[in-house]
Amino acid sequence: MEEWKPSPAAKPHKKRSWYLAWKYKLMNQRALRKLCQTGAVLFLLVTVIVNIKLILDTRRAAYEEEEESAQDYDDEMLNVEVPRHPVNNKKVLDVEVYSSRSKVYVAVDGTTVLEDEAREQGRGIHVIVLNQATGHVMAKRVFDTYSPHEDEAMVLFLNMVARGRILIFTIKDEGSFHLKDTAKSVLKSLGSQVAPFLSWRDMWTFVGKKGGEVYGEKHAKSPALSTWGDPVLLKTEVHLTSVEDAECHWPDTELNRRRKRFCSKVEGYGSVCSCKDPTPIEFNPDPLKDNKVFDVPVAVIAGNRPNYLYRMLRSLLSAQGVNPQMITVFIDGYYEEPMDVVELFGLSGIQHTPISIKNARVSQHYKASLTATFNLFPDAKFAVVLEEDLDISVDFFSFLSQSIHLLEEDESLYCISAWNDQGYEHTAEDPSLLYRVETMPGLGWVLRKSLYKDELEPKWPTPEKLWDWDMWMRMPEQRKGRECIIPDISRSYHFGIVGLNMNGYFHEAYFKKHKFNTVPNVQLKNVESLRKDAYETEIHRLLGEAEVLDHSKNPCEDSFVPDTEGKVYVMFIRMEQEADFTTWTQLAKCLHIWDLDVRGNHKGLWRLFRKKNHFLVVGVPASPYSSKKPSSVTPIYMEPPAKEEGAVAVPAVAAAEQT
Amino acid sequence: NGAAFSKVRGSQSGQDSTRWHVVRKFLSLISSHNIPVYLIDPLILGLVDKDIEQIRSSPDGPSPECKYFCVPRDFTTFALLDKTWKHEVGLFRTAEKMGFQWLKIINKDPRLDGMDDLSGMEIPLHYIFKLASHAIHLVVFYERSGNYLWHGPLRLKHHMDRKFVPFRKLHFGRYPGAYEKPELLHVSIDDLKVQIPKNPSSFLEQMSHSRFLECRYREARAFFQLYPDDASLDAVEFRIKAKSLLHLAALTLNNLGVKFWLSSGTCLGWYRQCNVIPHSKDVDLGIFIRDYKAEIIPAFQKAGLPLKHKFGKVEDSLELSFQGEDDVKLDIFFFYEEEDHIWNGGTQAKSGKKFKYFFPKFTLCWTEFVELKVHVPCETLQYVEANYGPDWKVPVKVWDWKSSPSNVQDNGVWPVNEWDDVIQIY
């Protein structure tokens, strides 16, 4: 070891001989081994010391808080606040934008703010919005303008961006196929000279100020249909303005301070950041008289869809009887923008480190959110659970206020839900009507604390079980035969298109035509008849007055139900046992209601509306209501389609078979 | 009017009217923002308590002299229930306009601390409003699971002005504290309209032993990293049963006014993993023998928990065991205090052998466990180490209460003629 100890008095000129000595010694095997050993030992020692120090430091930090500081009233934990964005005095930003078939990137002052070279995704026009005073990224979007309608979304977005912002565009792969003239002219109005002529597989980059100067544009034409334009790299400079110029001059109120903070950070929320006529962020809807749910906490379950969250919170805060203090937004992940939205509305938000993946992640997020809700509001007997992609009806709280006592008093109830799975435009009619159903719809519902604390929480699926929380809650082990109360016309509307289990087609087919109540202060009808036994009486009464439909006709056809209004009709379908939903599923399919699994049933009975008449479907002989079937009527049987074909199922019961 | 009063009274009696003025200003500040605070200043409540009958009977009567708010002090302490106000920034603007300097002490929210991976916003724990030479200490109380109110410790961050007020003299904030939800009373004292706890002496009594220990969530997480939690159905069900048994036991003992704490395995579960140890199979509580009441046994029986066995007697080694639902047992050990240690006894039924378990002296603190406000020994580590030895961090499935504890000692044998009395098995 001594051999290798550098002399502290060594002069700089000795360096060279040092090097030679090293080289020489290295050739000496023994010395080499020794060197390695020494090095290893030294390394180990250092590691050990560093580790010990680390452990000691952590311990100290952990305990000082409780022990020493208890005497000193000092918080020994260093609380260094690093500003999120360093203050930059520079007035000019260097911007680099790259467009190519397989990769796009944008760098601002050497910092990459966008980089996408993933295969099979990120196709289309990427747009970045920068704050013209600070250079911060305020929004990042990609519009797959190769596909239809995405250009409309882009126009919508660009129109929402405030004047003066810096816009950066770049194409990955293909961005022109469904880029229509409207969109092209919007791009042209931003100063692009190339946009009107963008064509198949062209590469394009553009930097400009909304309503102002153009900082640069580059374009590479695709030489042939089968090939892409050459990659383009645009390097340009953007001159920053002063902060005052970049902000609106709203009157100095607490609300506007929140607005200002929000609008200087993010873009794409439209009129909330309008200088002239900003849309309100406080709504003050009418309070509810005798509001039974004023003190019920509201948990909003959110992910990283801040625009959805924004829309959702607006509708929630506009609902009569809302109590903003009871609302907590739970964000799955450390996303800034959803938190910005929460702060804009002055609500409280909690972020949750994601656990597990996909459905299990959602499920763990739900559990953490529900537990936290009851921790934060220990007096609460219930919690309202909402998701970020729901519109909330103006009478949502009124609906709950009128029905919540049932959940408290009737132990045969599992939940109250604002959503009717079968409540479509053509199948829901009466805003004052409620049902009992054996399925749990979710999408805006009330959870009883005792159910959660005594039953669900202890057994909640652990992260390694990749279960959907709602599927799990619907399982018989959890539901134990209990039912949910739902309205005929939903008090929530599911607008989310982008989601874990969601896509455009699915949404269009199953959610878009859902009926949503817009009438305020609906007085619910006959709430007491929703109690377990009273409901049976009610059903028997209904079936007693119901007119039996002509079972020789095709139930899928409109003419199956007479052209009347306000009458009650009943039909009987075949249902061999409790779990036989063969005919129901076919009927649901042809009625264009939810058919992916069974929803909305109560003891083999479904209640909906057709042509403004109450329409009851009874499964025979499984349903206890089968006794109401006249002996002359043969229950309708509908065969499942043999293959994927057969969009319209044909009833297998011929008129002749009826006796 | 009030000012005139204080001038006269203040100068006459030679007392300090600054405090009275500051309190009055503060009260007008908070009432202008509709914030319902209540007085918890122990020194004033102590004085008030002596005159409580008179104050109650004439809640609006004028005061002949300034008796309470003119005693010169650096602070006057008020409480604020968090859920009763909206954290408006406006309050502080008004305060500044009125000449107050203020300080806010925030910290993380303990209600979320026990949960993995949640990061909420920090919550305000204390406010100090200073005007002239007097300061108002406003302690923020939070409702927590277990039907109690909690206030946080007061810890200064580095950038804070340590000399803002003489922090060490504050009555609240050295430790976090747990309190019952008080009933409040509107009164007028020294011509100031304030709310006070309806029963000041009970509040002061609570205050003297209000210290609260948060569960060691960080360490519990580390424990579960090393020893993953038992997620079997048996474990889940045992925890549900143990929790409900503990709730029932707490209700029964609290109704009798008998102070108890988590002992043995239940205490270890709280300290080590902030949860019931699923393989422990019973719930253990400790009670000082001086708090023993004959009604304990009938009260448990009435609550549906029959006596399973009774070992020892009040004078020596008393131990009760009640049968809960489905084989979950509630063990109550009675603790005997000596000069320099505390002990409890054990008895082996078949041999009549006696055992003694030694503990260093301890005091009791509040904590929250399975949504219950309960006592634990403040000196928990010593307590747990006495019982389970230095390796208490390592889970052990096989445990013999006669030989495994590190604090056990043989203590002779019960005389045979006493067996019928000191070994009762049902």
Side-chain angles (χ1 to χ4, degrees), chain B residues 100-151:
Chain B
F100 280 104
Q101 286 177 279
W102 57 274
L103 183 77
K104 171 161 95 166
I105 282 110
I106 59 170
N107 217 321
K108 54 182 192 265
D109 189 336
R111 297 167 302 178
L112 301 176
D113 215 23
M115 304 195 47
D116 289 352
D117 317 301
L118 277 195
S119 64
M121 295 163 173
E122 295 205 314
I123 53 171
L125 300 180
H126 298 263
Y127 292 102
I128 291 166
F129 293 86
K130 188 169 76 170
L131 186 66
S133 61
H134 194 71
I136 304 292
H137 179 196
L138 184 59
V139 183
V140 188
F141 282 79
Y142 289 84
E143 282 187 356
R144 292 189 53 177
S145 304
N147 197 29
Y148 67 101
L149 296 182
W150 172 92
H151 74 76

Side-chain angles (χ1 to χ4, degrees), chain B residues 47-91:
Chain B
L47 296 173
V48 161
D49 191 48
K50 289 181 193 149
D51 308 334
I52 189 71
E53 289 312 321
Q54 191 201 332
I55 290 172
R56 270 190 200 143
S57 60
S58 58
D60 297 315
S63 306
E65 54 175 335
C66 184
K67 253 178 100 173
Y68 311 100
F69 288 109
C70 293
V71 181
R73 295 280 173 217
D74 294 327
F75 304 102
T76 306
T77 317
F78 284 89
L80 166 62
L81 202 51
D82 169 71
K83 73 165 185 183
T84 56
W85 79 302
K86 294 182 188 169
H87 300 249
E88 287 141 347
V89 189
L91 173 72

Side-chain angles (χ1 to χ4, degrees), chain A residues 200-494:
Chain A
W200 178 249
R201 291 183 173 171
D202 284 359
M203 294 301 134
W204 173 64
T205 56
F206 174 75
V207 181
K209 175 178 260 191
K210 187 166 176 187
E213 67 234 78
V214 171
Y215 297 107
E217 181 165 30
K218 264 195 177 174
H219 175 231
K221 243 194 129 29
S222 156
L225 274 181
S226 59
T227 55
W228 285 260
D230 290 333
V232 293
L233 175 61
L234 170 67
K235 290 188 179 186
T236 180
E237 283 185 346
V238 169
H239 294 266
L240 295 177
T241 60
S242 72
V243 173
E244 290 77 61
D245 289 348
E247 282 178 349
C248 298
H249 302 283
W250 297 303
D252 185 35
T253 63
E254 200 183 329
L255 285 183
N256 279 340
R257 249 171 268 135
R258 289 202 317 243
R259 188 195 297 278
K260 202 169 215 167
R261 217 175 304 136
F262 181 78
C263 295
S264 65
K265 270 186 85 179
V266 293
E267 260 292 354
Y269 291 83
S271 55
V272 71
C273 296
S274 149
C275 286
K276 261 201 216 142
D277 186 20
T279 188
I281 53 172
E282 199 176 56
F283 306 93
N284 301 315
D286 292 340
L288 271 187
K289 234 205 269 163
D290 193 21
N291 187 350
K292 301 269 196 322
V293 291
F294 190 74
D295 289 330
V296 174
V298 177
V300 179
I301 315 286
N304 190 18
R305 296 182 289 178
N307 291 77
Y308 282 10
L309 184 61
Y310 174 80
R311 170 170 167 180
M312 189 275 166
L313 292 177
R314 284 195 82 88
S315 78
L316 176 62
L317 292 170
S318 308
Q320 291 182 357
V322 67
N323 179 359
Q325 271 192 280
M326 299 305 285
I327 300 173
T328 314
V329 181
F330 294 92
I331 300 163
D332 192 14
Y334 286 89
Y335 303 113
E336 271 186 48
E337 202 168 319
M339 205 57 168
D340 295 333
V341 171
V342 170
E343 282 168 11
L344 170 71
F345 291 114
L347 300 173
S348 50
I350 290 175
Q351 290 169 316
H352 179 216
T353 313
I355 305 170
S356 194
I357 48 161
K358 288 192 183 156
N359 294 340
R361 168 171 168 178
V362 174
S363 171
Q364 292 311 303
H365 182 50
Y366 254 88
K367 183 187 181 188
S369 307
L370 297 177
T371 301
T373 300
F374 289 119
N375 281 354
L376 292 170
F377 301 96
D379 275 355
K381 284 190 201 151
F382 307 98
V384 173
V385 186
L386 300 172
E387 286 158 49
E388 68 184 340
D389 53 2
L390 297 178
D391 282 328
I392 299 306
S393 159
V394 64
D395 80 329
F396 178 78
F397 292 105
S398 157
F399 156 71
L400 294 181
S401 176
Q402 293 175 65
S403 55
I404 196 137
H405 64 284
L406 293 175
L407 193 56
E408 192 166 359
E409 293 157 15
D410 184 348
E411 289 192 345
S412 70
L413 287 179
Y414 199 45
C415 77
I416 297 176
S417 173
W419 179 259
N420 176 5
D421 283 303
Q422 308 297 19
Y424 290 83
E425 288 287 355
H426 60 290
T427 56
E429 203 56 51
D430 185 350
S432 68
L433 182 63
L434 305 179
Y435 302 133
R436 280 178 80 105
V437 294
E438 288 167 19
T439 49
M440 206 217 92
L443 299 179
W445 54 289
V446 186
L447 169 68
R448 201 194 274 130
K449 179 178 182 178
S450 59
L451 170 67
Y452 182 67
K453 280 288 166 186
D454 300 342
E455 301 182 41
L456 303 178
E457 187 189 38
K459 288 193 243 170
W460 199 273
T462 44
E464 69 277 4
K465 298 202 178 88
L466 303 177
W467 284 349
D468 277 325
W469 69 273
D470 51 343
M471 292 300 186
W472 178 78
M473 270 195 75
R474 287 179 188 128
M475 282 157 62
E477 296 89 319
Q478 273 63 251
R479 196 171 60 80
K480 294 182 178 157
R482 289 169 290 192
E483 296 187 294
C484 289
I485 285 185
I486 59 162
D488 178 55
I489 299 181
S490 298
R491 261 50 176 199
S492 60
Y493 178 76
H494 187 249

Side-chain angles (χ1 to χ4, degrees), chain B residues 159-323:
Chain B
H159 56 86
M160 284 179 173
D161 176 7
R162 250 129 253 277
K163 299 213 166 66
F164 188 71
V165 288
F167 288 100
R168 280 159 199 274
K169 291 193 192 164
L170 291 175
H171 294 112
F172 289 80
R174 179 166 295 262
Y175 301 113
Y179 289 81
E180 284 164 28
K181 295 178 190 172
E183 267 188 84
L184 298 177
L185 191 67
H186 283 274
V187 294
S188 167
I189 43 181
D190 292 346
D191 288 350
L192 295 176
K193 289 198 182 343
V194 288
Q195 288 197 89
I196 58 168
K198 199 168 185 178
N199 189 342
S201 62
S202 136
F203 181 86
L204 293 170
E205 203 275 327
Q206 284 185 55
M207 189 181 161
S208 62
H209 47 84
S210 64
R211 185 177 165 195
F212 181 89
L213 293 183
E214 204 63 65
C215 201
R216 302 155 70 246
Y217 297 111
R218 213 171 4 199
E219 288 81 359
R221 271 196 283 275
F223 173 82
F224 284 122
Q225 293 279 318
L226 270 177
Y227 309 102
D229 200 12
D230 184 352
S232 67
L233 199 60
D234 280 354
V236 166
E237 275 172 2
F238 175 73
R239 279 189 171 142
I240 295 174
K241 284 180 210 152
K243 177 180 166 185
S244 81
L245 181 58
L246 192 56
H247 275 250
L248 186 58
L251 183 70
T252 309
L253 291 170
N254 289 340
N255 282 343
L256 291 176
V258 173
K259 199 176 352 172
F260 69 94
W261 65 91
L262 304 182
S263 192
S264 308
T266 310
C267 185
L268 176 65
W270 170 77
Y271 191 66
R272 186 172 70 187
Q273 51 206 74
C274 299
N275 206 339
V276 172
I277 301 175
H279 54 262
S280 55
K281 303 300 170 216
D282 51 20
V283 171
D284 305 311
L285 302 180
I287 294 177
F288 285 120
I289 195 68
R290 61 176 141 88
D291 294 327
Y292 172 80
K293 283 184 182 170
E295 298 95 299
I296 290 178
I297 297 175
F300 273 109
Q301 275 165 336
K302 216 172 149 193
L305 300 175
L307 186 65
K308 191 164 183 259
H309 62 239
K310 178 185 173 198
F311 293 146
K313 49 189 179 180
V314 175
E315 303 77 46
D316 184 10
S317 302
L318 183 64
E319 181 190 334
L320 300 174
S321 190
F322 297 92
Q323 186 61 57

